[in-house]
Each structure stands twice: as C-alpha cells, then as structure tokens.
mmCIF file of all heavy atoms in Angstrom:
data_model
loop_
_atom_site.group_PDB
_atom_site.id
_atom_site.type_symbol
_atom_site.label_atom_id
_atom_site.label_comp_id
_atom_site.label_asym_id
_atom_site.label_seq_id
_atom_site.Cartn_x
_atom_site.Cartn_y
_atom_site.Cartn_z
ATOM 1 N N VAL E 1 140.816 249.679 174.587
ATOM 2 C CA VAL E 1 141.128 248.382 175.198
ATOM 3 C C VAL E 1 141.803 248.580 176.555
ATOM 4 O O VAL E 1 141.436 247.951 177.558
ATOM 5 C CB VAL E 1 142.028 247.547 174.266
ATOM 6 C CG1 VAL E 1 142.591 246.329 175.015
ATOM 7 C CG2 VAL E 1 141.246 247.088 173.040
ATOM 8 N N PHE E 2 142.783 249.474 176.610
ATOM 9 C CA PHE E 2 143.497 249.704 177.871
ATOM 10 C C PHE E 2 142.608 250.408 178.899
ATOM 11 O O PHE E 2 142.755 250.188 180.106
ATOM 12 C CB PHE E 2 144.767 250.506 177.616
ATOM 13 C CG PHE E 2 145.856 249.703 176.956
ATOM 14 C CD1 PHE E 2 146.337 250.046 175.702
ATOM 15 C CD2 PHE E 2 146.390 248.591 177.577
ATOM 16 C CE1 PHE E 2 147.328 249.293 175.084
ATOM 17 C CE2 PHE E 2 147.379 247.829 176.975
ATOM 18 C CZ PHE E 2 147.854 248.178 175.725
ATOM 19 N N SER E 3 141.684 251.237 178.420
ATOM 20 C CA SER E 3 140.753 251.870 179.365
ATOM 21 C C SER E 3 139.805 250.827 179.947
ATOM 22 O O SER E 3 139.354 250.963 181.092
ATOM 23 C CB SER E 3 139.964 252.989 178.672
ATOM 24 O OG SER E 3 139.057 252.465 177.713
ATOM 25 N N GLY E 4 139.511 249.774 179.158
ATOM 26 C CA GLY E 4 138.717 248.669 179.694
ATOM 27 C C GLY E 4 139.446 247.972 180.824
ATOM 28 O O GLY E 4 138.838 247.574 181.827
ATOM 29 N N ALA E 5 140.762 247.828 180.662
ATOM 30 C CA ALA E 5 141.565 247.262 181.749
ATOM 31 C C ALA E 5 141.510 248.171 182.969
ATOM 32 O O ALA E 5 141.457 247.710 184.112
ATOM 33 C CB ALA E 5 143.007 247.072 181.285
ATOM 34 N N GLY E 6 141.509 249.483 182.718
ATOM 35 C CA GLY E 6 141.425 250.445 183.819
ATOM 36 C C GLY E 6 140.138 250.293 184.607
ATOM 37 O O GLY E 6 140.130 250.445 185.841
ATOM 38 N N ILE E 7 139.051 249.976 183.911
ATOM 39 C CA ILE E 7 137.776 249.761 184.592
ATOM 40 C C ILE E 7 137.880 248.581 185.554
ATOM 41 O O ILE E 7 137.413 248.635 186.699
ATOM 42 C CB ILE E 7 136.646 249.516 183.561
ATOM 43 C CG1 ILE E 7 136.312 250.820 182.839
ATOM 44 C CG2 ILE E 7 135.404 248.951 184.238
ATOM 45 C CD1 ILE E 7 135.256 250.666 181.768
ATOM 46 N N VAL E 8 138.500 247.493 185.086
ATOM 47 C CA VAL E 8 138.642 246.293 185.918
ATOM 48 C C VAL E 8 139.421 246.598 187.196
ATOM 49 O O VAL E 8 139.030 246.184 188.292
ATOM 50 C CB VAL E 8 139.340 245.169 185.125
ATOM 51 C CG1 VAL E 8 139.647 243.979 186.035
ATOM 52 C CG2 VAL E 8 138.477 244.732 183.951
ATOM 53 N N TYR E 9 140.505 247.350 187.066
ATOM 54 C CA TYR E 9 141.376 247.604 188.218
ATOM 55 C C TYR E 9 140.871 248.720 189.136
ATOM 56 O O TYR E 9 141.451 248.943 190.197
ATOM 57 C CB TYR E 9 142.788 247.928 187.732
ATOM 58 C CG TYR E 9 143.510 246.725 187.171
ATOM 59 C CD1 TYR E 9 143.897 246.674 185.834
ATOM 60 C CD2 TYR E 9 143.791 245.626 187.975
ATOM 61 C CE1 TYR E 9 144.549 245.561 185.318
ATOM 62 C CE2 TYR E 9 144.435 244.505 187.469
ATOM 63 C CZ TYR E 9 144.812 244.477 186.142
ATOM 64 O OH TYR E 9 145.444 243.361 185.634
ATOM 65 N N THR E 10 139.807 249.414 188.728
ATOM 66 C CA THR E 10 139.263 250.475 189.595
ATOM 67 C C THR E 10 137.871 250.142 190.130
ATOM 68 O O THR E 10 137.231 250.983 190.747
ATOM 69 C CB THR E 10 139.201 251.812 188.829
ATOM 70 O OG1 THR E 10 138.385 251.654 187.653
ATOM 71 C CG2 THR E 10 140.585 252.280 188.436
ATOM 72 N N LEU E 11 137.408 248.909 189.882
ATOM 73 C CA LEU E 11 136.069 248.533 190.347
ATOM 74 C C LEU E 11 135.905 248.681 191.857
ATOM 75 O O LEU E 11 134.823 249.018 192.345
ATOM 76 C CB LEU E 11 135.767 247.081 189.938
ATOM 77 C CG LEU E 11 135.303 246.870 188.488
ATOM 78 C CD1 LEU E 11 135.242 245.382 188.173
ATOM 79 C CD2 LEU E 11 133.948 247.519 188.254
ATOM 80 N N SER E 12 136.961 248.448 192.585
ATOM 81 C CA SER E 12 136.890 248.541 194.046
ATOM 82 C C SER E 12 137.178 249.955 194.551
ATOM 83 O O SER E 12 137.193 250.193 195.759
ATOM 84 C CB SER E 12 137.881 247.560 194.688
ATOM 85 O OG SER E 12 139.209 247.864 194.273
ATOM 86 N N LYS E 13 137.400 250.890 193.612
ATOM 87 C CA LYS E 13 137.687 252.274 193.982
ATOM 88 C C LYS E 13 136.716 253.195 193.246
ATOM 89 O O LYS E 13 137.013 253.700 192.158
ATOM 90 C CB LYS E 13 139.132 252.635 193.624
ATOM 91 C CG LYS E 13 140.159 251.714 194.284
ATOM 92 C CD LYS E 13 141.554 252.021 193.780
ATOM 93 C CE LYS E 13 142.588 251.071 194.401
ATOM 94 N NZ LYS E 13 143.956 251.317 193.883
ATOM 95 N N PRO E 14 135.515 253.402 193.807
ATOM 96 C CA PRO E 14 134.461 254.158 193.125
ATOM 97 C C PRO E 14 134.899 255.539 192.648
ATOM 98 O O PRO E 14 134.461 256.004 191.585
ATOM 99 C CB PRO E 14 133.364 254.273 194.194
ATOM 100 C CG PRO E 14 133.605 253.117 195.096
ATOM 101 C CD PRO E 14 135.088 252.934 195.130
ATOM 102 N N GLU E 15 135.767 256.206 193.425
ATOM 103 C CA GLU E 15 136.186 257.560 193.050
ATOM 104 C C GLU E 15 137.045 257.560 191.787
ATOM 105 O O GLU E 15 137.123 258.573 191.082
ATOM 106 C CB GLU E 15 136.950 258.217 194.208
ATOM 107 C CG GLU E 15 138.306 257.605 194.548
ATOM 108 C CD GLU E 15 138.234 256.342 195.391
ATOM 109 O OE1 GLU E 15 137.095 255.915 195.668
ATOM 110 O OE2 GLU E 15 139.288 255.806 195.768
ATOM 111 N N LEU E 16 137.690 256.430 191.471
ATOM 112 C CA LEU E 16 138.472 256.308 190.239
ATOM 113 C C LEU E 16 137.688 255.604 189.139
ATOM 114 O O LEU E 16 137.867 255.897 187.954
ATOM 115 C CB LEU E 16 139.769 255.528 190.515
ATOM 116 C CG LEU E 16 140.769 256.184 191.469
ATOM 117 C CD1 LEU E 16 141.969 255.264 191.686
ATOM 118 C CD2 LEU E 16 141.239 257.535 190.920
ATOM 119 N N TYR E 17 136.817 254.690 189.537
ATOM 120 C CA TYR E 17 136.048 253.914 188.566
ATOM 121 C C TYR E 17 135.201 254.800 187.660
ATOM 122 O O TYR E 17 135.125 254.558 186.451
ATOM 123 C CB TYR E 17 135.159 252.912 189.306
ATOM 124 C CG TYR E 17 134.130 252.257 188.413
ATOM 125 C CD1 TYR E 17 134.502 251.257 187.516
ATOM 126 C CD2 TYR E 17 132.795 252.654 188.453
ATOM 127 C CE1 TYR E 17 133.571 250.660 186.688
ATOM 128 C CE2 TYR E 17 131.850 252.062 187.630
ATOM 129 C CZ TYR E 17 132.236 251.075 186.751
ATOM 130 O OH TYR E 17 131.308 250.491 185.920
ATOM 131 N N ILE E 18 134.568 255.817 188.227
ATOM 132 C CA ILE E 18 133.691 256.668 187.434
ATOM 133 C C ILE E 18 134.459 257.343 186.295
ATOM 134 O O ILE E 18 133.969 257.451 185.168
ATOM 135 C CB ILE E 18 132.989 257.727 188.332
ATOM 136 C CG1 ILE E 18 132.038 258.585 187.508
ATOM 137 C CG2 ILE E 18 134.002 258.597 189.049
ATOM 138 C CD1 ILE E 18 130.872 257.852 186.946
ATOM 139 N N PHE E 19 135.703 257.769 186.571
ATOM 140 C CA PHE E 19 136.509 258.424 185.528
ATOM 141 C C PHE E 19 136.974 257.417 184.479
ATOM 142 O O PHE E 19 136.988 257.721 183.279
ATOM 143 C CB PHE E 19 137.705 259.128 186.162
ATOM 144 C CG PHE E 19 137.332 260.303 187.011
ATOM 145 C CD1 PHE E 19 137.366 260.208 188.401
ATOM 146 C CD2 PHE E 19 136.931 261.500 186.435
ATOM 147 C CE1 PHE E 19 137.006 261.285 189.191
ATOM 148 C CE2 PHE E 19 136.576 262.588 187.221
ATOM 149 C CZ PHE E 19 136.614 262.478 188.598
ATOM 150 N N ALA E 20 137.339 256.214 184.929
ATOM 151 C CA ALA E 20 137.758 255.176 183.984
ATOM 152 C C ALA E 20 136.598 254.792 183.066
ATOM 153 O O ALA E 20 136.789 254.611 181.855
ATOM 154 C CB ALA E 20 138.259 253.952 184.742
ATOM 155 N N ALA E 21 135.405 254.677 183.630
ATOM 156 C CA ALA E 21 134.232 254.307 182.840
ATOM 157 C C ALA E 21 133.860 255.402 181.847
ATOM 158 O O ALA E 21 133.508 255.120 180.694
ATOM 159 C CB ALA E 21 133.055 254.011 183.772
ATOM 160 N N LEU E 22 133.929 256.653 182.280
ATOM 161 C CA LEU E 22 133.622 257.771 181.388
ATOM 162 C C LEU E 22 134.608 257.824 180.230
ATOM 163 O O LEU E 22 134.225 258.008 179.065
ATOM 164 C CB LEU E 22 133.651 259.086 182.169
ATOM 165 C CG LEU E 22 132.496 259.323 183.146
ATOM 166 C CD1 LEU E 22 132.752 260.579 183.969
ATOM 167 C CD2 LEU E 22 131.173 259.443 182.408
ATOM 168 N N PHE E 23 135.880 257.660 180.543
ATOM 169 C CA PHE E 23 136.913 257.694 179.506
ATOM 170 C C PHE E 23 136.710 256.546 178.517
ATOM 171 O O PHE E 23 136.835 256.726 177.301
ATOM 172 C CB PHE E 23 138.291 257.586 180.172
ATOM 173 C CG PHE E 23 139.447 257.788 179.232
ATOM 174 C CD1 PHE E 23 139.524 258.917 178.424
ATOM 175 C CD2 PHE E 23 140.449 256.835 179.144
ATOM 176 C CE1 PHE E 23 140.590 259.097 177.553
ATOM 177 C CE2 PHE E 23 141.519 257.007 178.280
ATOM 178 C CZ PHE E 23 141.582 258.140 177.475
ATOM 179 N N HIS E 24 136.353 255.384 179.039
ATOM 180 C CA HIS E 24 136.119 254.201 178.201
ATOM 181 C C HIS E 24 134.972 254.458 177.217
ATOM 182 O O HIS E 24 135.088 254.173 176.011
ATOM 183 C CB HIS E 24 135.791 253.014 179.102
ATOM 184 C CG HIS E 24 135.630 251.716 178.382
ATOM 185 N ND1 HIS E 24 136.687 251.053 177.806
ATOM 186 C CD2 HIS E 24 134.523 250.947 178.133
ATOM 187 C CE1 HIS E 24 136.257 249.935 177.236
ATOM 188 N NE2 HIS E 24 134.953 249.849 177.413
ATOM 189 N N ASN E 25 133.868 254.998 177.707
ATOM 190 C CA ASN E 25 132.705 255.236 176.856
ATOM 191 C C ASN E 25 132.959 256.333 175.825
ATOM 192 O O ASN E 25 132.503 256.241 174.683
ATOM 193 C CB ASN E 25 131.494 255.605 177.721
ATOM 194 C CG ASN E 25 130.847 254.380 178.340
ATOM 195 O OD1 ASN E 25 131.444 253.308 178.361
ATOM 196 N ND2 ASN E 25 129.647 254.525 178.842
ATOM 197 N N LEU E 26 133.684 257.366 176.213
ATOM 198 C CA LEU E 26 133.965 258.446 175.269
ATOM 199 C C LEU E 26 134.924 257.991 174.176
ATOM 200 O O LEU E 26 134.817 258.424 173.025
ATOM 201 C CB LEU E 26 134.538 259.654 176.017
ATOM 202 C CG LEU E 26 133.541 260.378 176.920
ATOM 203 C CD1 LEU E 26 134.222 261.503 177.678
ATOM 204 C CD2 LEU E 26 132.373 260.929 176.107
ATOM 205 N N LEU E 27 135.838 257.094 174.520
ATOM 206 C CA LEU E 27 136.757 256.563 173.512
ATOM 207 C C LEU E 27 136.014 255.726 172.474
ATOM 208 O O LEU E 27 136.238 255.865 171.270
ATOM 209 C CB LEU E 27 137.851 255.716 174.177
ATOM 210 C CG LEU E 27 138.974 256.486 174.869
ATOM 211 C CD1 LEU E 27 139.859 255.511 175.650
ATOM 212 C CD2 LEU E 27 139.823 257.254 173.851
ATOM 213 N N ILE E 28 135.131 254.843 172.929
ATOM 214 C CA ILE E 28 134.406 253.998 171.982
ATOM 215 C C ILE E 28 133.435 254.829 171.159
ATOM 216 O O ILE E 28 133.188 254.530 169.985
ATOM 217 C CB ILE E 28 133.679 252.837 172.713
ATOM 218 C CG1 ILE E 28 133.246 251.762 171.705
ATOM 219 C CG2 ILE E 28 132.499 253.337 173.512
ATOM 220 C CD1 ILE E 28 134.370 251.103 170.958
ATOM 221 N N SER E 29 132.886 255.891 171.744
ATOM 222 C CA SER E 29 131.998 256.783 170.989
ATOM 223 C C SER E 29 132.778 257.477 169.879
ATOM 224 O O SER E 29 132.311 257.586 168.732
ATOM 225 C CB SER E 29 131.373 257.820 171.921
ATOM 226 O OG SER E 29 130.580 257.215 172.918
ATOM 227 N N SER E 30 133.971 257.950 170.218
ATOM 228 C CA SER E 30 134.816 258.617 169.220
ATOM 229 C C SER E 30 135.255 257.639 168.134
ATOM 230 O O SER E 30 135.272 257.980 166.941
ATOM 231 C CB SER E 30 136.043 259.231 169.894
ATOM 232 O OG SER E 30 135.664 260.180 170.870
ATOM 233 N N LEU E 31 135.604 256.417 168.527
ATOM 234 C CA LEU E 31 136.007 255.405 167.561
ATOM 235 C C LEU E 31 134.874 255.115 166.584
ATOM 236 O O LEU E 31 135.094 255.044 165.365
ATOM 237 C CB LEU E 31 136.416 254.119 168.284
ATOM 238 C CG LEU E 31 136.684 252.897 167.382
ATOM 239 C CD1 LEU E 31 137.836 253.176 166.426
ATOM 240 C CD2 LEU E 31 136.969 251.661 168.229
ATOM 241 N N PHE E 32 133.672 254.957 167.096
ATOM 242 C CA PHE E 32 132.536 254.667 166.227
ATOM 243 C C PHE E 32 132.285 255.831 165.265
ATOM 244 O O PHE E 32 131.972 255.619 164.084
ATOM 245 C CB PHE E 32 131.283 254.385 167.061
ATOM 246 C CG PHE E 32 130.071 254.048 166.243
ATOM 247 C CD1 PHE E 32 130.005 252.845 165.561
ATOM 248 C CD2 PHE E 32 129.009 254.927 166.155
ATOM 249 C CE1 PHE E 32 128.889 252.525 164.794
ATOM 250 C CE2 PHE E 32 127.891 254.623 165.391
ATOM 251 C CZ PHE E 32 127.825 253.414 164.712
#
C-alpha cells in the first residue's frame, strides 16, 4: 500500500518512479 503511494509521488521523477514501480510489483507478487 505504501509503495503504491510512492508510485504516485514519483510519477514526475522517472529515475525514481521505475524503482517505486518495481518494488510495488515485487511486493504484490510476494504477497500473492
């Protein structure tokens, strides 16, 4: 959930957004 917030706040910063998105997807994959 908090990594999803990180995605929102890094949308305008591509160099950070990619890491936030990767972390978000890996977390949900692990949760599943």
Side-chain angles (χ1 to χ4, degrees):
V1 168
F2 286 118
S3 69
I7 288 178
V8 173
Y9 289 117
T10 58
L11 279 172
S12 60
K13 303 174 182 178
E15 67 280 3
L16 296 178
Y17 169 76
I18 182 66
F19 292 104
L22 288 173
F23 188 53
H24 184 70
N25 280 15
L26 290 177
L27 283 172
I28 195 62
S29 298
S30 300
L31 172 61
F32 181 70

